[in-house]
Amino acid sequence: ELRDEVESGSHTDRNILELAKAQAARDGLVARASTNRHEELTAVADALAQRELELAARADEVAQLKTEVSKLQRLERREGVNLEYLKNVMVQYLSCQDSSQKATLERVLATLLQFSPNENKEIKESRTVYNYFFSPTKQMKPPLAGGPVPMMPLSP
């Protein structure tokens, strides 16, 4: 019935109908193109996320390999150390009472034995804790038998 009305209508009505059909067809094409573009963008975003994960994994591998190379370089340099010299430095270190000389000998040992940055840090932290608890200004005299506990530091 609507078709009969349009076909029997004026020329202008028929043109409007044709234009409406053409617009509907264009709208359908735009909607399909938009859907396709959205699907393509989603696929690209997924691929990008996958590549970023792969890149992060490769960055971790590179960091591990750099650590391993550094460790092997230190090991190689350690092989050329004169053991007699190392022994003499160790004897000096172990028999030394002067803290500044001991610190110097620690640096010499760290160089000879090619300590890693983490090992140097661990030694430094250990020395700091040791110095705090065992420095002469922190040590207390032992209590007297049967008497009160004195709170005076030991003299150096």
Side-chain angles (χ1 to χ4, degrees):
E1 179 178 316
L2 180 60
R3 181 171 280 199
D4 290 338
E5 260 183 62
V6 170
E7 289 176 3
S8 66
S10 69
H11 180 60
T12 305
D13 290 339
R14 284 190 297 251
N15 282 341
I16 290 174
L17 179 62
E18 291 301 318
L19 289 173
K21 284 181 184 179
Q23 184 63 41
R26 281 191 300 267
D27 289 347
L29 287 174
V30 168
R32 282 191 297 279
S34 176
T35 300
N36 289 343
R37 186 163 308 261
H38 177 71
E39 290 171 357
E40 289 171 359
L41 286 174
T42 301
V44 168
D46 290 345
L48 179 61
Q50 182 64 32
R51 295 291 185 220
E52 287 175 344
L53 289 174
E54 291 172 8
L55 183 60
R58 297 300 174 261
D60 287 345
E61 288 176 19
V62 166
Q64 289 174 352
L65 289 173
K66 283 182 178 181
T67 301
E68 186 67 24
V69 166
S70 177
K71 189 185 297 183
L72 290 173
Q73 286 173 335
R74 284 192 310 276
L75 181 63
E76 184 179 0
R77 286 187 295 242
R78 219 178 277 148
E79 288 176 359
V81 171
N82 180 335
L83 290 180
E84 186 66 26
Y85 178 64
L86 177 60
K87 180 188 90 165
N88 290 336
V89 171
M90 282 300 300
V91 168
Q92 285 180 3
Y93 178 77
L94 294 172
S95 63
C96 179
Q97 299 298 318
D98 180 24
S99 62
S100 66
Q101 186 179 5
K102 202 165 188 125
T104 302
L105 290 170
E106 284 175 1
R107 288 192 299 274
V108 171
L109 287 169
T111 302
L112 286 173
L113 298 174
Q114 295 294 309
F115 290 168
S116 70
N118 286 341
E119 291 167 334
N120 281 324
K121 180 181 174 189
E122 185 178 329
I123 291 167
K124 184 177 180 181
E125 288 172 356
S126 170
R127 187 179 332 111
T128 302
V129 169
Y130 178 84
N131 287 342
Y132 177 78
F133 285 109
F134 297 108
S135 68
T137 58
K138 298 286 182 194
Q139 292 179 356
M140 301 296 173
K141 289 184 178 179
L144 301 173
V149 176
M151 298 305 289
M152 299 183 329
L154 290 175
S155 59

